[in-house]
Amino acid sequence: MLLVIEAMNKALRRVPAWPLYPLGALPVLWLFWQGVQGGLGVDPAKAIEHRLGLWGLWLLIAGLAVTPLGRFAGLRLIKFRRAIGLLAFFYILTHLLVWLVLDVQIPAQIWADIVKRPYITIGMAAFVMMVPLALTSNNWSLRKLGPVRWRRLHRLTYILVPLGAVHFVMVVKGWQMEPFYYLGIVLVLLVLRLVPTAIPARRRALKS
Amino acid sequence: AGLGAVKSDYSTMEEPNPLEHITSYNNYYEFGTGKDDPARNAHRLTTDGWQVEIAGLVDKPGTWTMDDILKGTTLEERIYRLRCVEGWSMIIPWVGFELSDLLNRVGVQPGAKYVAFETALRPDEMTGVGSRVIDWPYVEGLRLDEAMNPLTILATGLYDETIPNQNGAPIRLVVPWKYGFKSIKSIVRITLTEDEPPTSWNKTLPNEYGFYSNVNPNVDHPRWSQATERRIGGGLRAPRLPTLMFNGYGAQVADLYDGMDLSKYF
């Protein structure tokens, strides 16, 4: 197991992070293309909206998994985290725009929904928290803020990701399990951050 | 081979959705919660030898085969608007007959005030009932006067052909002035009762889904507005249309609710 992780770390060292941006944008383009072509069924706007929300949540979870994977498995993914986070923002922003433009459509209704519907209020709050994080996900901001303040600001992910998962739990009809699984994964990833660092796997990984 | 359904004055003049829309976008949670799940999974349902038990406060309780039910009825085409509680709508050319026909044949006893319906529960055939999204079997109900209204039909066909499984074969209810979930599918039991029967979505989330569930643009669902709807089939830019009170069937049904506070009895 450790050998595998070592090999992966070695291989990943040679992989640049920048291709994640164009690669991450491809599914969104493909989704809209499918929607125009009729490949998403008879209600393409909803299909795009739901899929972007789900994929955005996957990316948020992936971003949240980077630190625990490093600490407990020794897998070094930190250099990809910025791209993962910015892609998550891009997916959720597109999800929000599809909701505004293709789904709700009526501006007065949009504001009414945001203030009156708790699941939308929560989703919106999570999105608003993502904005400063996306804006400061660059080297200049990191230098300007300094690592301590930057890290403190980016702890907003610990609030906004579970809010995103709760938004999913609240939007479905009846007692569907899928959104609860995601909320569970998010909570596990957060709780892992409270576990002390002195875990054998890490020490071994550090020694090698 | 068409069913030869006769036209009806109750049909809307609006252009029906193509069959492909009606059969590929369904809520039938017994076959999965995705809109495309029923089209994929409902072929497992065996409708041969289907029987409907009619029980409760009726003169002639018993078990009816589909032949018994259809004997002596005239099938009509009813092109109705369908408004889902989720905020989308379609125009559907159902084929069926008035529920009152059947109820009159079994003889409704004076004490009966409600009609309860139950969907088949077949874990071997229904791929979705393994998860408890709601409490199975699916049950629904109407007040007797709602059930006797000429708009209320039992549908056995669609586009003048036998109704596909994902749309509720072999026999389903259609109540066009109520949200779609009231129109229970694949009926195996009809019971005339004195008391208001339990209904599935009301049991699951009573603050979101009432017994009546009349289409009403003025009473929001707690999680979304019901003022407008998206007509299925308009593509990526399908516009929102205003939702009509009683789904546009007020002339036929509004008097059923005279004096009732419809925000309380939602």
Side-chain angles (χ1 to χ4, degrees):
Chain A
M1 186 62 195
L2 274 176
L3 284 176
V4 175
I5 288 181
E6 270 309 293
M8 282 171 80
N9 282 339
K10 213 167 157 194
L12 286 171
R13 226 171 289 148
R14 263 171 276 141
V15 178
W18 66 264
L20 284 181
Y21 295 99
L23 284 176
L26 280 179
V28 179
L29 296 175
W30 175 81
L31 197 57
F32 278 96
W33 172 249
Q34 288 274 297
V36 172
Q37 296 295 305
L40 295 176
V42 295
D43 193 4
K46 274 278 180 215
I48 292 174
E49 182 183 310
H50 290 169
R51 232 159 281 185
L52 285 173
L54 181 64
W55 295 349
L57 182 59
W58 289 355
L59 286 164
L60 288 171
I61 289 173
L64 218 48
V66 167
T67 297
L69 279 174
R71 282 182 53 199
F72 300 110
L75 189 62
R76 283 191 285 275
L77 295 168
I78 194 82
K79 78 167 166 188
F80 303 105
R81 193 171 63 178
R82 177 183 291 175
I84 294 170
L86 282 170
L87 280 172
F89 177 73
F90 170 60
Y91 275 66
I92 298 301
L93 173 66
T94 316
H95 166 72
L96 173 64
L97 289 174
V98 169
W99 175 71
L100 294 176
V101 177
L102 299 181
D103 185 352
V104 185
Q105 301 171 13
I106 302 156
Q109 194 57 56
I110 292 168
W111 183 246
D113 275 353
I114 292 171
V115 293
K116 264 170 82 177
R117 322 281 169 203
Y119 85 92
I120 292 176
T121 316
I122 285 173
M124 209 60 195
F127 171 75
V128 168
M129 285 183 221
M130 290 184 83
V131 175
L133 306 196
L135 291 176
T136 55
S137 287
N138 54 72
N139 293 340
W140 182 81
S141 297
L142 182 55
R143 267 197 311 274
K144 198 86 183 151
L145 287 167
V148 175
R149 273 195 298 169
W150 188 91
R151 227 174 283 141
R152 202 179 296 148
L153 174 66
H154 281 248
R155 275 189 208 134
L156 275 176
T157 48
Y158 302 162
I159 302 168
L160 76 88
V161 184
L163 285 183
V166 168
H167 166 76
F168 187 21
V169 167
M170 290 174 77
V171 75
V172 298
K173 258 170 72 196
W175 302 112
Q176 300 185 35
M177 290 320 294
E178 189 191 355
F180 283 104
Y181 295 145
Y182 290 115
L183 181 60
I185 293 169
V186 169
L187 294 178
V188 166
L189 290 174
L190 290 178
V191 167
L192 280 178
R193 286 167 160 76
L194 302 173
V195 177
T197 341
I199 293 256
R202 183 174 187 265
R203 249 183 275 137
R204 261 181 277 135
L206 282 178
K207 247 183 269 165
S208 55
Chain B
L3 297 171
V6 299
K7 304 246 173 284
S8 163
D9 289 341
Y10 290 115
S11 288
T12 169
M13 290 293 146
E14 288 165 272
E15 182 68 23
N17 282 78
L19 183 67
E20 188 226 329
H21 294 176
I22 302 168
T23 55
S24 69
Y25 193 83
N26 306 98
N27 278 329
Y28 194 165
Y29 280 11
E30 283 85 340
F31 294 102
T33 52
K35 291 282 182 292
D36 49 354
D37 287 338
R40 237 196 330 262
N41 300 326
H43 66 273
R44 296 167 204 268
L45 183 71
T46 36
T47 55
D48 292 343
W50 196 271
Q51 293 185 327
V52 180
E53 187 197 339
I54 304 181
L57 301 170
V58 291
D59 296 331
K60 287 171 275 181
T63 302
W64 294 53
T65 65
M66 287 304 294
D67 283 344
D68 295 335
I69 290 171
L70 291 170
K71 211 178 291 163
T73 58
T74 308
L75 290 178
E76 285 183 36
E77 180 186 64
R78 297 282 182 104
I79 307 172
Y80 282 162
R81 287 178 288 277
L82 176 127
R83 169 63 156 79
C84 179
V85 74
E86 295 164 350
W88 53 267
S89 62
M90 286 196 203
I91 310 288
I92 303 183
W94 302 110
V95 174
F97 56 93
E98 291 178 14
L99 173 61
S100 62
D101 277 2
L102 182 64
L103 294 181
N104 287 333
R105 276 189 278 160
V106 296
V108 177
Q109 294 183 348
K113 293 198 185 79
Y114 294 91
V115 189
F117 303 87
E118 187 178 317
T119 295
L121 175 56
R122 305 223 189 118
D124 294 342
E125 298 178 355
M126 294 172 151
T127 42
V129 297
S131 57
R132 295 282 294 264
V133 183
I134 57 172
D135 194 18
W136 315 110
Y138 196 84
V139 289
E140 257 306 335
L142 296 172
R143 221 169 54 190
L144 185 61
D145 56 349
E146 297 175 323
M148 299 302 278
N149 188 280
L151 283 177
T152 305
I153 60 166
L154 288 170
T156 55
L158 186 59
Y159 265 109
D160 210 36
E161 299 286 347
T162 302
I163 194 166
N165 283 3
Q166 62 265 42
N167 296 93
I171 186 164
R172 66 166 292 167
L173 186 70
V174 180
V175 196
W177 71 93
K178 292 175 181 284
Y179 293 120
F181 69 86
K182 292 292 290 182
S183 295
I184 187 171
K185 298 183 177 81
S186 307
I187 297 167
V188 292
R189 190 167 292 116
I190 300 174
T191 313
L192 278 287
T193 63
E194 195 184 339
D195 299 317
E196 185 182 290
T199 58
S200 282
W201 280 105
N202 179 251
K203 282 195 293 179
T204 310
L205 290 161
N207 63 323
E208 296 194 0
Y209 309 99
F211 173 80
Y212 286 94
S213 290
N214 292 316
V215 175
N216 188 340
N218 309 314
V219 176
D220 286 349
H221 183 282
R223 287 184 283 153
W224 53 82
S225 163
Q226 295 291 27
T228 60
E229 63 202 51
R230 288 166 58 258
R231 180 65 51 80
I232 294 300
L236 213 48
R237 301 298 313 267
R240 280 199 172 262
L241 310 172
T243 288
L244 305 172
M245 187 67 206
F246 297 118
N247 205 19
Y249 297 98
Q252 290 88 1
V253 301
D255 60 339
L256 295 173
Y257 310 101
D258 276 346
M260 281 175 70
D261 178 357
L262 294 180
S263 60
K264 188 172 166 225
Y265 297 99
F266 59 93

